[in-house]
């Protein structure tokens, strides 16, 4: 009898050990923040936060937005989305190891890799967004919430955290939350929450006031509001011509007027431009002349936490492979220039001398 008891006990212990091994050696929870080094960027980290309520946030990753997570044994389904593809996109990873300090995920997913726990690395700002009375959003409505460092008045704001939330069918108020990397927050700086709701391929509602967080006693939970800007957006902008090309899910515009390149914001009438370009192009990344009604606006960079000037297309006008921007060397031909300075010394023109003009012609 004693031998049977010992055999059963040993079998039970072995089974328990195997079960413990199958859940990766140490009972622990995914909830919290996990970091991993960024390839090719020494000293930089990126990561994710598994919220206790099933929400999923990204830290120092701006090419996509976290949405939710769900665990079933050793399998974890992580759902994300992007501005260009706002439909929730689930991916499945397997937990190879989970301890109090380490997480190893495997699978055909961006999130596969080795992480270290750092629950101080991730923070969250949450609140409620109110819309104009009577607003009911259509099914394709997408809410973009951004947390930005706006400390420098003469420099672009820096993106700290962003969240994309499908909000089709909603009305009244909308709950929101944004995750951010805690290490980048400096309480001496000024931070702002902004929101944009887009549908029908254009911006329809947005915040127009400053909503500060973190500093001066401001809390991490706040209420914000958006106003209808659809009519203003439709009437804004000016005719712009340039060379357009599209590659790797991003459009680029070379402005004939200032000879500068600008990324094209994936909002407004951008979808009309993309469709026309796709129908006309003969090879990938082909540069084709376009005319649009648009404006240069500041938008968050696809990679990293910065921002830059982008082309916002309010109306697509035309596309023509036969046209091109004027050659830069010819821009001065046939023009008159007023001479106002020589060797960094200003010129004062006397009334009886008239204008001092220089006339330029191209040399043979």
């Amino acid at each position: 009898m004693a031998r049977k008891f010992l055999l059963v006990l040993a079998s039970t212990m072995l089974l328990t050990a195997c079960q413990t091994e199958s859940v990766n050696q140490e009972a622990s929870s995914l909830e919290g923040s996990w970091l991993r080094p960024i390839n090719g960027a020494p000293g930089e980290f990126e990561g994710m936060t598994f919220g206790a309520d099933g929400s999923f946030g990204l830290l120092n990753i701006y090419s996509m937005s976290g949405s939710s997570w769900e665990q079933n044994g050793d399998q974890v389904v992580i759902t994300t989305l992007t501005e260009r593809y706002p439909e929730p996109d689930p991916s499945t990873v397997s937990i190879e190891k989970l301890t109090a300090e380490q997480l190893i995920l495997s699978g055909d997913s961006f999130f596969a890799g080795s992480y270290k726990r750092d629950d101080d690395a991730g923070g969250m700002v949450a609140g409620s967004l109110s819309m104009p009375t009577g607003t009911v959003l259509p099914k394709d409505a997408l809410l973009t919430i951004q947390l930005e460092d706006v400390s420098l008045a003469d420099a672009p704001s820096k993106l700290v955290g962003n969240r994309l939330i499908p909000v089709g069918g909603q009305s009244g108020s909308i709950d929101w939350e944004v995750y951010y990397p805690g290490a980048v927050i400096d309480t001496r700086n000024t931070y702002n929450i902004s929101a944009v709701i887009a549908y029908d391929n254009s911006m329809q509602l947005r915040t127009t006031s400053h909503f500060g967080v973190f500093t001066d006693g401001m809390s991490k939970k706040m209420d914000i509001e958006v106003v209808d800007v659809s009519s203003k957006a439709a009437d804004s902008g000016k005719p712009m011509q340039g060379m357009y090309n599209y590659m790797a899910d991003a459009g680029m515009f070379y402005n004939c007027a200032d000879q500068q390149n600008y990324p094209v914001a994936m909002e407004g009438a951008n979808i009309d431009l993309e469709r026309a370009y796709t129908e006309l192009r003969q090879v990938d990344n082909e540069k084709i002349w376009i005319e649009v009604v648009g404006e240069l606006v500041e938008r968050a960079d696809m990679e990293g936490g910065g921002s830059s000037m982008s082309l916002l297309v309010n109306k697509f006008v035309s596309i023509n492979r036969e046209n091109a921007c004027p050659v830069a060397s010819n821009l001065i031909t046939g023009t008159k220039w007023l001479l106002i300075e020589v060797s960094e010394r200003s010129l004062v023109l006397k009334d009886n001398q008239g204008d001092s003009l220089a006339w330029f012609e191209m040399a043979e």
Side-chain angles (χ1 to χ4, degrees), residues 241-244 256 287-291 318-320 323-325:
Q241 299 84 32
M243 306 303 293
Y244 175 83
C256 292
K287 294 182 179 180
I288 304 179
W289 183 92
I290 64 167
E291 180 176 5
S318 64
I319 183 169
N320 190 332
N323 290 348
C325 292

Side-chain angles (χ1 to χ4, degrees), residues 98-226:
L98 173 59
T99 70
E101 301 297 331
Q102 186 179 24
L103 170 65
I104 299 178
L105 300 175
S106 64
D108 185 16
S109 169
F110 170 82
F111 300 105
S114 179
Y115 299 81
K116 289 186 177 181
R117 180 185 291 277
D118 187 346
D119 288 336
D120 293 329
M124 183 182 72
V125 181
S128 177
L129 176 146
S130 60
M131 298 182 290
T133 303
T135 300
V136 179
L137 298 174
K139 64 180 181 179
D140 64 333
L142 181 69
L143 167 63
T144 302
I145 297 281
Q146 293 189 332
L147 170 62
E148 298 170 302
D149 184 338
V150 293
S151 303
L152 300 178
D154 57 348
S157 59
K158 181 178 181 181
L159 184 65
V160 177
N162 72 307
R163 190 75 183 271
L164 303 177
I165 307 174
V167 290
Q170 297 198 39
S171 60
S173 63
I174 301 171
D175 291 332
W176 57 268
E177 56 189 20
V178 176
Y179 288 91
Y180 62 88
V184 305
I185 299 299
D186 186 338
T187 54
R188 298 170 298 179
N189 292 354
T190 303
Y191 298 89
N192 179 62
I193 288 287
S194 64
V196 170
I197 296 178
Y199 54 85
D200 291 338
N201 298 316
S202 64
M203 177 175 59
Q204 304 289 342
L205 303 106
R206 69 168 302 163
T207 51
T208 56
S209 302
H210 175 81
F211 295 97
V213 289
F214 302 135
T215 55
D216 298 329
M218 300 171 182
S219 73
K220 294 183 181 180
K221 190 171 182 63
M222 61 188 307
D223 296 331
I224 62 177
E225 61 180 353
V226 292

Side-chain angles (χ1 to χ4, degrees), residues 6-279:
L6 291 173
L7 181 60
V8 172
L9 179 61
S11 300
T12 303
M13 292 176 64
L14 180 60
L15 178 60
T16 302
C18 291
Q19 290 175 337
T20 302
E21 184 72 21
S22 69
V23 293
N24 310 300
Q25 292 123 20
E26 182 178 326
S28 188
S29 172
L30 281 175
E31 294 177 14
S33 298
W34 303 85
L35 297 180
R36 67 182 178 185
I38 299 178
N39 291 333
E44 297 291 327
F45 294 87
E46 63 185 11
M48 52 194 176
T49 298
F50 295 92
D53 60 352
S55 61
F56 180 73
L58 298 176
L59 307 176
N60 211 26
I61 299 173
Y62 304 99
S63 57
M64 68 182 81
S65 172
S67 179
S68 62
W69 70 282
E70 182 178 4
Q71 182 178 359
N72 184 12
D74 289 354
Q75 303 294 305
V76 182
V77 178
I78 295 173
T79 302
T80 60
L81 62 156
T82 65
E83 185 177 4
R84 181 170 176 79
Y85 302 106
E87 291 296 323
D89 181 22
S91 63
T92 301
V93 290
S94 299
I95 302 175
E96 297 296 330
K97 184 176 182 180
L98 173 59
T99 70
E101 301 297 331
Q102 186 179 24
L103 170 65
I104 299 178
L105 300 175
S106 64
D108 185 16
S109 169
F110 170 82
F111 300 105
S114 179
Y115 299 81
K116 289 186 177 181
R117 180 185 291 277
D118 187 346
D119 288 336
D120 293 329
M124 183 182 72
V125 181
S128 177
L129 176 146
S130 60
M131 298 182 290
T133 303
T135 300
V136 179
L137 298 174
K139 64 180 181 179
D140 64 333
L142 181 69
L143 167 63
T144 302
I145 297 281
Q146 293 189 332
L147 170 62
E148 298 170 302
D149 184 338
V150 293
S151 303
L152 300 178
D154 57 348
S157 59
K158 181 178 181 181
L159 184 65
V160 177
N162 72 307
R163 190 75 183 271
L164 303 177
I165 307 174
V167 290
Q170 297 198 39
S171 60
S173 63
I174 301 171
D175 291 332
W176 57 268
E177 56 189 20
V178 176
Y179 288 91
Y180 62 88
V184 305
I185 299 299
D186 186 338
T187 54
R188 298 170 298 179
N189 292 354
T190 303
Y191 298 89
N192 179 62
I193 288 287
S194 64
V196 170
I197 296 178
Y199 54 85
D200 291 338
N201 298 316
S202 64
M203 177 175 59
Q204 304 289 342
L205 303 106
R206 69 168 302 163
T207 51
T208 56
S209 302
H210 175 81
F211 295 97
V213 289
F214 302 135
T215 55
D216 298 329
M218 300 171 182
S219 73
K220 294 183 181 180
K221 190 171 182 63
M222 61 188 307
D223 296 331
I224 62 177
E225 61 180 353
V226 292
V227 299
D228 187 350
V229 296
S230 56
S231 59
K232 297 178 182 177
D235 296 334
S236 63
K238 62 181 181 180
M240 303 179 73
Q241 299 84 32
M243 306 303 293
Y244 175 83
N245 62 299
Y246 181 87
M247 190 174 185
D249 290 339
M252 186 65 66
F253 175 72
Y254 175 81
N255 188 11
C256 292
D258 63 11
Q259 304 173 43
Q260 299 295 316
N261 287 298
Y262 300 96
V264 180
M266 292 185 288
E267 56 188 274
N270 174 63
I271 188 66
D272 298 328
L273 171 59
E274 285 188 10
R275 288 170 178 165
Y277 174 81
T278 301
E279 292 178 0

